[in-house]
Amino acid sequence: MCDQLYPIFAATDPRDGGLGLDPRSIGVSLGVEGIVVVYIQLVVYPRLERKFGVLYCYRRGLSFAIPYLVSMPFLSMIALHLQTQAGTSAMSMVVEKVVMWVILMSLMTMRITSSVMAFTSINLMITNMAPTRADLGFMNGTQQLAMSVVRIFAPIVSGSLWSWSIKHSLPLPFNSHLVWTLSAVLIAIVLKLSYRIPDSVNKFAADQPKPIACAEELDE
């Protein structure tokens, strides 16, 4: 949900729990994120997957998302401080702005690392679970359908929750932290459930040797 929420969060006034960034700054942050995606997808992930397996990468991707989700809404406190200190020295404001951007890009890197590792691993695990090569098309098609449905409703849910949370003066975590906290809780649950996934998803099932039928079954 928070992937779709970021541009709204970044553009929202800091007094409402956002960052107050202009469109150009939001575009720059997303552009840097795009460069990081290419590097992680083509360089980092293949090495981790070959060394540790798909399931390990999936769990690490989920675990990276939790600190990002918990930390991101607190960044608005720095943005609010920058907005309200109009009378302070220019050097002080520059230093605080640099600090805010360093933290923002660090969190964005954590976010994209989590996203690449988790979603790439999901694709590979579903491929690996196909009992035969003939089932690959159906399983991948079903997966893409499910992800498309989620992408339809996720922006609606996250946007509605964000609008509701900043309109009401409620305490933490029901204020502007609501969507972020809810996402962190959901991912923590998924991470716990991921330990029920068997290690067999690390290998392509269709290429694994089939068990030899016993003599009684052959006679039948």
Side-chain angles (χ1 to χ4, degrees):
M1 289 192 297
C2 291
D3 287 351
Q4 293 81 13
L5 178 64
Y6 170 72
I8 302 173
F9 164 74
T12 300
D13 192 283
R15 289 170 294 184
D16 293 325
L19 299 180
L21 299 180
D22 56 66
R24 181 178 178 275
S25 298
I26 296 173
V28 169
S29 67
L30 292 174
V32 173
E33 186 182 62
I35 297 173
V36 176
V37 168
V38 174
Y39 178 75
I40 294 174
Q41 186 78 69
L42 299 181
V43 179
V44 177
Y45 184 86
R47 295 181 180 180
L48 290 176
E49 191 275 328
R50 283 194 297 268
K51 185 174 183 179
F52 299 106
V54 177
L55 188 54
Y56 172 89
C57 293
Y58 177 60
R59 290 169 180 162
R60 294 293 73 78
L62 293 175
S63 64
F64 287 157
I66 296 173
Y68 153 73
L69 292 168
V70 172
S71 303
M72 183 62 96
F74 287 100
L75 200 57
S76 65
M77 297 172 64
I78 301 177
L80 180 61
H81 190 258
L82 281 169
Q83 187 184 67
T84 55
Q85 61 166 351
T88 58
S89 66
M91 180 59 68
S92 176
M93 292 190 66
V94 168
V95 170
E96 287 200 28
K97 195 164 187 178
V98 169
V99 170
M100 187 189 81
W101 270 93
V102 168
I103 297 174
L104 174 62
M105 296 317 302
S106 298
L107 291 174
M108 293 286 282
T109 300
M110 189 177 295
R111 175 179 87 101
I112 203 60
T113 301
S114 166
S115 180
V116 169
M117 293 186 70
F119 284 106
T120 304
S121 297
I122 289 173
N123 292 335
L124 291 175
M125 284 192 293
I126 290 177
T127 299
N128 288 346
M129 287 189 292
T132 65
R133 293 183 179 275
D135 296 314
L136 283 174
F138 172 76
M139 294 188 69
N140 281 282
T142 304
Q143 173 213 353
Q144 293 299 323
L145 175 62
M147 292 180 67
S148 298
V149 171
V150 171
R151 285 171 178 162
I152 291 173
F153 292 102
I156 298 173
V157 173
S158 61
S160 300
L161 285 175
W162 174 257
S163 298
W164 180 86
S165 64
I166 64 176
K167 287 179 182 177
H168 298 80
S169 301
L170 297 174
L172 185 74
F174 300 102
N175 52 4
S176 58
H177 292 239
L178 178 61
V179 182
W180 306 97
T181 304
L182 179 60
S183 297
V185 170
L186 291 174
I187 289 180
I189 294 172
V190 173
L191 177 60
K192 184 176 181 180
L193 293 175
S194 71
Y195 285 91
R196 298 184 180 183
I197 301 175
D199 292 336
S200 58
V201 297
N202 289 318
K203 297 180 180 180
F204 187 34
D207 286 343
Q208 299 306 305
K210 301 296 185 293
I212 300 174
C214 63
E216 294 180 359
E217 291 178 343
L218 292 175
D219 291 340
E220 292 178 359

